[in-house]
């Protein structure tokens, strides 16, 4: 192989290819579905907007849906990669921090007891619930002389997630109104969302992604173990706290917009490490792009499973994720 095909060049080329595939998938998301829109129709909806039904649907439904799927998929994948790094648990995902459970509980509680309604309002309530739940998990997992350890954070996350899940189910069973209003959100979907919902959390996602990239060299050290990291002078508690904040912003924002979409944060980091290795300076950008690609593609595919009725993308990712997790578990946490 010529010398100019260095690992860095190959990784950069692969990332550019992945970005091109993501752009193609997002265009397909705008064009395909129950109704098909040609490329010319998509372009004219922005260059010569006439308020026809086609133009309205493209601008207010299809384009926001593609952008939300990309933002949520990328955020969940990056959050999952960080979770697996700080917990050293190959099956860790944002749900381990109680993000999904806390957001779901906050939504159901607000509907049942405070008569809250509207997806835009749900966005902020879910963000708050996710942050509070993750904060509780982090504090519980950090108690003790040895600080936060993988086993303690895993147990704390599982306990808090189970606690909030039980409370959520209890409220849903006792409140028909809450069940009817939040069922659509609890399944996990990127349809029916608006650009205003994405714009509410996108700044936090962007800041969190920048923070994740700044933390990537420290993740490389942290994955070698706390003792090694401390021996190299790393302030592990500070790094883990910063990573936890980034996870809350990424995963909390994603759950707030799209509901609890599972398995993206488990599937993509394993695929990325299989492709480019364990250097988090490459793992995180690849996770962002491939996570976005997977969720956009899954959303397009979900439109054709039961045409003309659409299947929620949360169901599609679950169908993909369950066998993948079983395979990874059987392989001892390694892909391949």
């Amino acid at each position: 192989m010529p010398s100019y095909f260095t690992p860095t060049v190959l990784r950069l080329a692969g990332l550019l290819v992945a970005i091109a595939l993501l752009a193609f998938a997002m265009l397909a998301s705008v064009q395909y579905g129950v109704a098909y829109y040609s490329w010319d129709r998509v372009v004219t909806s922005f260059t010569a907007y006439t308020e026809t039904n086609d133009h309205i649907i493209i601008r207010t439904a299809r384009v926001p849906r593609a952008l939300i799927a990309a933002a949520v998929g990328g955020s969940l994948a990056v959050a999952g990669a960080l979770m697996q790094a700080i917990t050293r648990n190959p099956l860790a995902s944002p749900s381990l921090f109680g993000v999904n459970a806390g957001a779901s509980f906050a939504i159901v509680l607000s509907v049942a007891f405070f008569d809250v309604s509207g997806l835009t309002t749900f966005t902020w309530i879910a963000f708050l619930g996710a942050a509070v739940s993750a904060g509780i998990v982090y504090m519980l997992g950090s108690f003790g002389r040895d600080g936060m350890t993988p086993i303690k954070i895993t147990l704390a996350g599982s306990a808090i997630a189970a606690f909030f899940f039980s409370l959520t189910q209890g409220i849903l069973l006792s409140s028909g109104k809450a069940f009817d209003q939040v069922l659509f959100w609890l399944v996990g979907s990127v349809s029916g969302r608006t650009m205003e919902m994405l714009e509410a959390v996108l700044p936090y996602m962007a800041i969190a992604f920048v923070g994740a990239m700044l933390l990537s060299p420290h993740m490389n050290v942290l994955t070698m173990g706390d003792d090694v990291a401390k021996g190299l002078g790393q302030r592990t508690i500070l790094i883990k706290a910063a990573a936890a904040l980034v996870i809350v912003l990424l995963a909390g924002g994603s759950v707030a917009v799209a509901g609890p979409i599972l398995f993206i944060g488990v599937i993509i980091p394993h695929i990325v490490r299989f492709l480019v290795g364990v250097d988090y300076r490459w793992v995180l950008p690849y996770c962002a792009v491939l996570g976005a690609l997977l969720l956009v593609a899954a959303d397009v595919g979900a439109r054709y499973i039961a045409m003309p009725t659409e299947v929620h993308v949360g169901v599609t990712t679950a169908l993909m994720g369950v066998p993948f997790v079983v395979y990874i578990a059987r392989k001892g946490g390694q892909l391949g």
Side-chain angles (χ1 to χ4, degrees):
M1 180 179 293
S3 59
Y4 48 82
F5 286 126
T6 64
T8 299
V9 171
L10 292 175
R11 288 169 176 169
L12 182 59
L15 187 60
L16 293 176
V17 170
I19 292 173
L21 290 175
L22 173 59
F24 177 78
M26 293 179 69
L27 175 60
S29 178
V30 174
Q31 289 186 279
Y32 292 95
V34 176
Y36 169 77
Y37 301 108
S38 66
W39 169 248
D40 291 340
R41 183 60 59 86
V42 173
V43 172
T44 56
S45 68
F46 289 93
T47 60
Y49 182 62
T50 59
E51 295 189 0
T52 61
N53 288 338
D54 289 353
H55 286 185
I56 292 173
I57 291 173
I58 290 171
R59 292 183 58 159
T60 64
R62 291 285 182 89
V63 170
R65 183 170 180 170
L67 293 174
I68 289 171
V72 169
S75 296
L76 289 175
V78 172
L82 291 174
M83 278 293 303
Q84 292 168 17
I86 66 174
T87 65
R88 297 199 296 279
N89 181 348
L91 297 179
S93 67
S95 58
L96 183 65
F97 251 33
V99 171
N100 291 350
S104 301
F105 174 71
I107 290 289
V108 172
L109 184 69
S110 65
V111 171
F113 295 102
F114 301 101
D115 293 324
V116 174
S117 62
L119 285 175
T120 303
T121 307
F122 286 175
T123 300
W124 289 109
I125 294 173
F127 209 166
L128 177 62
V132 170
S133 178
I136 294 173
V137 170
Y138 183 80
M139 286 189 295
L140 291 176
S142 301
F143 281 154
R145 185 177 305 174
D146 54 347
M148 189 179 73
T149 64
I151 186 64
K152 285 165 62 179
I153 196 70
T154 300
L155 291 175
S158 299
I160 294 301
F163 174 70
F164 279 129
F165 178 79
S166 298
L167 292 178
T168 300
Q169 296 303 308
I171 295 174
L172 287 175
L173 290 174
S174 62
S175 175
K177 178 182 67 175
F179 183 83
D180 292 338
Q181 290 195 35
V182 305
L183 180 61
F184 178 71
W185 182 85
L186 288 173
V187 173
S189 176
V190 293
S191 65
R193 273 56 173 175
T194 64
M195 278 302 299
E196 288 75 16
M197 296 175 64
L198 178 61
E199 290 168 356
V201 298
L202 189 59
Y204 301 100
M205 289 179 171
I207 292 172
F209 181 73
V210 173
M213 290 306 302
L214 293 175
L215 287 171
S216 59
H218 301 286
M219 293 295 105
N220 289 334
V221 177
L222 193 62
T223 54
M224 292 186 282
D226 285 359
D227 292 337
V228 174
K230 291 177 182 177
L232 293 173
Q234 185 182 87
R235 300 172 65 181
T236 57
I237 295 178
L238 180 61
I239 295 300
K240 289 179 180 179
L245 177 60
V246 169
I247 291 167
V248 170
L249 293 177
L250 289 172
S254 300
V255 175
V257 174
I261 295 177
L262 304 177
F263 297 110
I264 297 291
V266 177
I267 296 174
I268 293 300
H270 282 281
I271 294 176
V272 168
R273 286 192 291 267
F274 179 77
L275 293 174
V276 301
V278 296
D279 187 346
Y280 273 75
R281 293 172 297 180
W282 288 103
V283 167
L284 296 182
Y286 264 87
C287 279
V289 177
L290 293 184
L293 175 61
L294 177 60
L295 192 56
V296 172
D299 181 49
V300 174
R303 304 173 194 181
Y304 291 91
I305 294 176
M307 183 75 78
T309 302
E310 291 188 5
V311 176
H312 294 302
V313 71
V315 177
T316 308
T317 58
L319 292 174
M320 294 187 297
V322 170
F324 186 90
V325 169
V326 171
Y327 176 80
I328 291 297
R330 287 177 59 87
K331 288 290 185 177
Q334 299 296 324
L335 181 61

